[in-house]
Amino acid sequence: MTSPSGSTPAEATAFLDAHPEIEAFDIVLTDANGVGRGKILRRHELAGVYESGRHMPISILGLDITGEDVHETGLIWDSGDGDLRAWPIPGTLVPLHGTNPPRGQVLMAMYHLDGEPMTSDPRHALARQVEALAAKGLHPAGTFELEFFLLSNQRDADGKVQPANAVLDGRRSGKTEVYSVDHLHGMEPLFSDIYAAAKAQGIPAETVISEYAPGQYELTLNYRKDVMRAADDLIMLKRIVRMQARRHGVTACFMAKPIEKYAGSGMHFHVSLLDGAGKNVFTEATPGTWSPLLLNALGGLAETMAESMLVFAPHANSWRRFVSQSYAPVAPTWGVNNRSVALRVPAGNAKNRRIEHRPSGVDANPYLVAATILAGVAKGLDEKLDPGPEVTGNGYEAAGEAKTKMPIDWRAAIDAARGSSFLSTALGPDLHKTFVEIKWAEYLRVARTVSELDYHLYLHEV
């Protein structure tokens, strides 16, 4: 059958001809948690994937973060755990830098056997939101920022994770080397391999920064006029960073808050809207006066933020990032050139006017994040929502009553998401159910776990 994803056998043939050295391929399907699940195929099997797709069990989209089945999703025995068909995503067939023997990779999307999209696949949720905006004559452009930690493979004397030593010479630094260029030199061999891998995969990885915690870094990606491709970039870049870090003897950590006394890692999403002629509709027509569409988009994002927080902060650890003055937003506020708000309008050329959506942690699924943000933007435009006054100065102090609109913890975020008609529309009813049930199963797992902290606080005291 013809691939419903738009992939063609010619793409596989051309790639195999250009890369006779590659012996195997990772085929990667991204689940609700952003975890890549799939198989490694031999070279001769690739053509068949492009001709007929590849059968995969429906349950692969109903797993929790540990890979355990979540029966409440309805994707396990309710459906007999039958096979669906995964198809390659065009443009994602790439070589994997530094593998031995050489391997390639292709991202996959899940479809029913008749070619209809499997609606619990996160990538399809984003596709629907892109199509909904296209029906209005609008086309989202954007990019993600990737923050992460490079950690040692060994814990410290207290059993805590610790920043990795420099891979160049083993030098140790426990300081916050924010924006230190010399500090980056110690990780130069690793970042050189990351850039080489990104170039081989056509990923526009750009600036690397030493961030606001020991062992924390940020990689920026160039803006894409195709938001689907921007999300694919982020998925592929995380895989690159994790793989290359492992090859250099360190651990790439994408937890939102791995070290308690330092800032966590975000995944800020920059988004703008283009009209049919490619003009940015967020650009102000008159200097000093904001575009009404920009304000409406901000209004939609502010109004829907509380019920969407489970998408932006999907794990127990995610909520440890939301601490005042930690560079993580704590209220649905907006401001200009202000990093203490949730919705930042960066300074710069008006032609490049965009919204920087800051709540998401790096542990979130970029397909779900982008889909939810685009749905919030669309709601704001449709209902001409007002974002309220701009916040100036310290957004943590200015949050005021707005702060109370946000869920206070993971459990509250799950409850808000479960009851949200907006989130059901943004993700689609099937994925909404799948995602919430997975999060509830994970919440129960965490809630019943007796931790070392419990023993420390209570063992000899109560």
Side-chain angles (χ1 to χ4, degrees):
M1 65 183 293
T2 301
S3 169
S5 71
S7 61
T8 65
E11 182 180 359
T13 300
F15 186 89
L16 291 171
D17 289 345
H19 296 278
E21 77 284 2
I22 291 182
E23 298 184 13
F25 293 88
D26 298 0
I27 62 171
V28 183
L29 179 75
T30 303
D31 73 5
N33 275 316
V35 176
R37 304 192 185 275
K39 307 177 180 182
I40 298 179
L41 308 181
R42 304 302 297 168
R43 177 185 177 90
H44 68 272
E45 298 179 89
L46 183 69
V49 173
Y50 277 79
E51 292 165 1
S52 306
R54 185 78 178 202
H55 284 132
M56 288 191 182
I58 189 173
S59 59
I60 201 171
L61 292 173
L63 305 177
D64 70 9
I65 193 68
T66 69
E68 294 286 344
D69 292 337
V70 179
H71 296 279
E72 293 78 7
T73 63
L75 300 180
I76 316 299
W77 299 124
D78 290 7
S79 62
D81 196 16
D83 278 346
L84 299 184
R85 193 171 291 175
W87 289 89
I89 296 169
T92 65
L93 178 58
V94 293
L96 292 175
H97 174 75
T99 51
N100 185 24
R103 294 205 322 277
Q105 172 186 281
V106 62
L107 301 186
M108 309 288 283
M110 190 77 93
Y111 294 82
H112 291 285
L113 299 181
D114 63 1
E116 287 296 309
M118 198 285 167
T119 48
S120 285
D121 183 324
R123 198 173 187 277
H124 293 318
L126 176 53
R128 285 193 300 274
Q129 293 304 324
V130 171
E131 291 165 3
L133 284 169
K136 305 175 190 292
L138 297 170
H139 308 280
T143 189
F144 291 89
E145 296 176 7
L146 181 67
E147 295 179 355
F148 57 95
F149 280 80
L150 294 175
L151 302 176
S152 170
N153 292 340
Q154 288 77 42
R155 303 289 182 93
D156 66 16
D158 296 320
K160 303 284 189 180
V161 297
Q162 57 183 335
N165 295 343
V167 298
L168 180 66
D169 57 8
R171 184 182 301 177
R172 178 176 176 77
S173 174
K175 298 180 293 184
T176 299
E177 308 261 12
V178 62
Y179 277 79
S180 169
V181 177
D182 289 344
H183 177 65
L184 292 175
H185 292 170
M187 292 296 180
E188 185 177 30
L190 169 53
F191 282 111
S192 292
D193 276 335
I194 289 172
Y195 281 126
K199 181 178 180 181
Q201 297 187 14
I203 298 173
E206 296 194 330
T207 307
V208 61
I209 301 166
S210 179
E211 263 289 355
Y212 201 66
Q216 188 184 36
Y217 302 87
E218 178 187 294
L219 273 170
T220 61
L221 288 159
N222 197 13
Y223 222 67
R224 291 278 198 184
K225 291 185 177 180
D226 179 354
V227 163
M228 291 293 297
R229 182 62 199 191
D232 291 338
D233 284 344
L234 199 284
I235 289 289
M236 295 166 73
L237 185 58
K238 283 181 74 173
R239 290 184 60 79
I240 285 172
V241 173
R242 183 178 284 116
M243 178 181 294
Q244 297 305 326
R246 189 174 184 181
R247 292 181 179 280
H248 282 272
V250 299
T251 296
C253 175
F254 299 106
M255 291 172 62
K257 183 78 168 178
I259 302 177
E260 59 193 46
K261 61 182 179 179
Y262 293 109
S265 293
M267 188 180 69
H268 304 160
F269 181 48
H270 295 250
V271 62
S272 56
L273 293 178
L274 309 179
D275 63 17
K279 180 181 177 181
N280 184 356
V281 302
F282 286 167
T283 298
E284 51 267 27
T286 304
T289 303
W290 296 115
S291 160
L293 295 181
L294 173 68
L295 294 175
N296 292 157
L298 288 166
L301 292 173
E303 181 165 308
T304 59
M305 188 174 295
E307 58 198 300
S308 303
M309 280 304 298
L310 186 63
V311 170
F312 309 143
H315 306 291
N317 179 261
S318 308
W319 291 84
R320 297 189 172 94
R321 176 172 162 259
F322 295 99
V323 179
S324 181
Q325 300 183 36
S326 65
Y327 289 93
V330 295
T333 52
W334 76 280
V336 180
N337 197 23
N338 188 334
R339 287 182 170 84
S340 65
V341 296
L343 304 169
R344 174 176 176 253
V345 179
N349 191 322
K351 292 182 180 180
N352 300 325
R353 190 68 68 215
R354 64 192 187 275
I355 297 169
E356 180 187 3
H357 188 277
R358 297 174 56 80
S360 297
V362 75
D363 55 344
N365 183 326
Y367 297 125
L368 300 188
V369 168
T372 304
I373 290 172
L374 295 186
V377 167
K379 180 179 175 68
L381 298 182
D382 291 344
E383 301 178 16
K384 294 181 170 54
L385 297 177
D386 184 349
E390 171 193 345
V391 169
T392 59
N394 189 334
Y396 299 109
E397 294 180 353
E401 293 183 1
K403 184 176 180 180
T404 64
K405 297 178 183 178
M406 301 286 274
I408 60 172
D409 56 23
W410 193 28
R411 169 66 184 267
I414 294 172
D415 290 343
R418 188 185 296 278
S420 172
S421 59
F422 164 76
L423 201 59
S424 180
T425 299
L427 303 182
D430 294 337
L431 181 54
H432 177 249
K433 173 181 172 61
T434 297
F435 184 64
V436 171
E437 294 298 349
I438 288 171
K439 294 296 105 184
W440 181 244
E442 292 173 356
Y443 170 80
L444 293 177
R445 177 188 290 266
V446 172
R448 65 175 173 256
T449 299
V450 181
S451 69
E452 284 298 320
L453 180 60
D454 289 316
Y455 295 127
H456 175 71
L457 292 176
Y458 310 121
L459 180 61
H460 299 294
E461 309 299 333
V462 296

